[in-house]
Amino acid sequence: MDLLVSEITTPSTPLLFAAATSTIGMSSTSSSSSICSSEASEDSPAISFRFELQDVKYDCPSKSLSGACSYRPLAVLSDHVGPVSCLALCGEFILSASQGKDIIVWQQPDMRLFTKFGQGDGSVKALVSVGNKVFTAHQDSRIRVWKVSRRSENVFRLVDTLPTTKDYLGKFMKQSNYVQTRRHHKKLWIEHADSISCLAVYNGLVYSGSWDKTLKVWRISDLKCLESIKAHDDAINGLVACKGIVYSASADGKIKAWGKEGKRSHSLKGILEGHKDVSLNSVIVSDDGKWVYGGGSDGFVMGWEGSYDFVSWKMVSETKAHQMAVLCICLAGEFLFSGSADKNIGIWKREAFGKLSKVGVINGHEGPVKCLQASPNIVGGGFLLYSGGLDKSLRVWWVPKHCTLQNTEEKSISLC
């Protein structure tokens, strides 16, 4: 079966843009790729472009999910030196980072290796992009800021580390700026005291969650730390922002919703309770902000419905998605994908009242699936799904948009 991709328009972004319209074929192998033409500069106007892929053939066979529905493994990329810990879509590129300290930039859609950066800066736990900047969170409790520039051979150039030296010098002399982190140990409130596990971006702000149980708020324009919130009773594992609300998922079994009104500081808007004594490892929210899903260490994906004022929440579904911990989840339209320590990726269709119905399971990773990203573009009547695993591989899958639901005993329990 041929996968047809036609007239997919990728929006141009300030981060990275195409120098010209191109026709590129998919490949399951990675190779070095030269940087964009020197004619493209950082200040050049953004150029819209489209990929026109016709009759693209893959060596990888289709694998059945259910009935006539099948997914395709498109590529296995094994260039990382350590387990793949996080992924981010950045314009026409996808970034993947590992616990081996390296960050790789892959060219879409053929997944050629474009460049590498960030080696030697500590194990990378999370990354996000906004405008022409990339923020990376590290095990050494620091956030690094990279500027994307076409004018330099080093396309991703390190420009700062958070907290910045200016921010630090402005606070270190005043004793009231220090907080107790451990017995006989203090730090400035703008500093994280443990690994930074997750990042989120919204409305000119970057949010960072850490194993030190705090949520910090950074202003993108001047990279200043604005707030430090003692958010949870245990490590923060996941963050997501939508409709002015930031959701933090924690090992304490709770997802907390934080909101900001005007120039005021963030305040707690609601608590989404999960299973008792179960860590919540990830959180995702629907585009309309009405549905929140969390992945638990007991293998369940839990769903909550929010009120119109986004203040009160109730659990409406819980789905036994995996036999081992759910480590990551992502949404693509009406579909939810879950990655697990059992090495599998679950595919679920979102239905009424937050219920999830099983579509199928993708297998192929040789280790736990740590991170997932789904492309927002429809490709050949389906989605491109990217998965990173502790087996040090980044894998690319094509999943059809229209699938027949499986008749399975692993069903969602509706609580509404």
Side-chain angles (χ1 to χ4, degrees):
M1 181 179 77
D2 294 337
L3 178 61
L4 303 181
V5 185
S6 62
E7 296 188 349
I8 301 170
T9 302
T10 304
S12 57
T13 68
L15 176 64
L16 296 165
F17 53 85
T21 301
S22 60
T23 302
I24 308 173
M26 285 272 193
S27 171
S28 61
T29 59
S30 61
S31 60
S32 297
S33 175
S34 61
I35 296 174
C36 216
S37 162
S38 60
E39 296 175 1
S41 73
E42 188 181 27
D43 301 320
S44 299
I47 302 172
S48 296
F49 68 100
R50 64 177 57 172
F51 296 121
E52 295 181 352
L53 311 184
Q54 298 292 340
D55 300 322
V56 180
K57 294 183 181 294
Y58 297 90
D59 295 330
C60 299
S62 298
K63 297 186 179 182
S64 178
L65 289 174
S66 61
C69 187
S70 61
Y71 71 89
R72 279 178 173 269
L74 302 183
V76 180
L77 308 170
S78 303
D79 295 76
H80 279 290
V81 298
V84 180
S85 54
C86 51
L87 299 169
L89 294 172
C90 303
E92 78 258 36
F93 293 92
I94 185 165
L95 275 58
S96 60
S98 86
Q99 296 177 21
K101 307 176 183 179
D102 56 328
I103 303 169
I104 299 180
V105 183
W106 306 93
Q107 174 85 52
Q108 295 188 81
D110 59 337
M111 296 303 290
R112 288 176 300 189
L113 195 156
F114 183 76
T115 189
K116 292 185 178 183
F117 69 99
Q119 293 184 348
D121 291 327
S123 178
V124 186
K125 296 294 186 180
L127 58 89
V128 293
S129 70
V130 55
N132 65 343
K133 290 185 176 68
V134 174
F135 293 81
T136 57
H138 298 255
Q139 190 171 357
D140 63 5
S141 310
R142 307 281 277 181
I143 299 172
R144 289 172 174 82
V145 187
W146 310 81
K147 187 176 181 180
V148 185
S149 173
R150 298 287 187 174
R151 293 178 175 175
S152 168
E153 290 184 4
N154 185 9
V155 178
F156 290 80
R157 180 170 56 90
L158 181 64
V159 293
D160 226 322
T161 303
L162 304 184
T164 63
T165 302
K166 181 180 179 181
D167 208 1
Y168 188 91
L169 292 177
K171 293 181 173 62
F172 87 102
M173 290 291 290
K174 198 171 183 179
Q175 194 64 31
S176 61
N177 286 326
Y178 288 83
V179 295
Q180 195 84 29
T181 56
R182 295 189 300 273
R183 188 179 181 186
H184 306 309
H185 192 80
K186 290 185 176 182
K187 276 183 174 289
L188 288 174
W189 64 265
I190 61 175
E191 299 178 278
H192 277 296
D194 208 334
S195 295
I196 302 172
S197 54
C198 46
L199 295 171
V201 176
Y202 186 81
N203 196 28
L205 301 174
V206 172
Y207 299 86
S208 59
S210 169
W211 291 354
D212 67 9
K213 312 172 188 177
T214 68
L215 170 65
K216 296 191 189 297
V217 185
W218 313 81
R219 189 164 54 205
I220 294 174
S221 60
D222 59 3
L223 303 179
K224 184 178 181 180
C225 186
L226 302 179
E227 298 177 55
S228 180
I229 305 167
K230 177 63 171 67
H232 288 273
D233 296 325
D234 209 332
I236 298 175
N237 297 322
L239 283 176
V240 67
C242 179
K243 300 288 186 181
I245 303 293
V246 180
Y247 304 87
S248 55
S250 171
D252 64 12
K254 298 180 177 69
I255 294 173
K256 293 188 177 181
W258 307 90
K260 185 176 185 294
E261 298 177 5
K263 295 183 179 180
R264 296 180 182 179
S265 299
H266 287 75
S267 60
L268 184 63
K269 298 297 184 182
I271 300 177
L272 291 66
E273 297 277 358
H275 292 167
K276 186 178 180 180
D277 299 325
V278 170
S279 171
L280 286 171
N281 299 321
S282 54
V283 59
I284 199 71
V285 60
S286 61
D287 289 340
D288 59 8
K290 186 178 180 181
W291 306 98
V292 176
Y293 296 92
S297 59
D298 58 355
F300 275 80
V301 173
M302 289 156 270
W304 293 265
E305 180 184 11
S307 59
Y308 287 104
D309 55 10
F310 302 112
V311 173
S312 60
W313 297 85
K314 62 177 180 178
M315 184 185 288
V316 293
S317 69
E318 47 187 334
T319 305
K320 180 62 175 176
H322 296 273
Q323 295 304 310
M324 300 178 72
V326 178
L327 302 179
C328 52
I329 50 180
C330 74
L331 290 175
E334 60 185 358
F335 290 96
L336 182 146
F337 301 95
S338 58
S340 171
D342 66 10
K343 309 178 186 179
N344 296 323
I345 301 169
I347 306 177
W348 309 86
K349 187 173 182 181
R350 296 167 54 216
E351 297 188 313
F353 308 112
K355 182 179 178 181
L356 299 177
S357 295
K358 189 172 184 179
V359 172
V361 176
I362 295 176
N363 51 60
H365 274 285
E366 297 174 0
V369 181
K370 186 65 175 65
C371 47
L372 291 170
Q373 280 284 351
S375 173
N377 295 320
I378 301 299
V379 178
F383 300 98
L384 288 181
L385 179 67
Y386 306 90
S387 60
L390 300 190
D391 57 4
K392 303 180 183 180
S393 74
L394 168 64
R395 296 175 186 249
V396 188
W397 317 87
W398 177 81
V399 181
K401 183 180 179 181
H402 301 290
C403 287
T404 304
L405 302 180
Q406 284 191 6
N407 183 12
T408 174
E409 294 181 358
E410 295 181 6
K411 294 182 179 178
S412 178
I413 304 172
S414 181
L415 303 180
C416 53

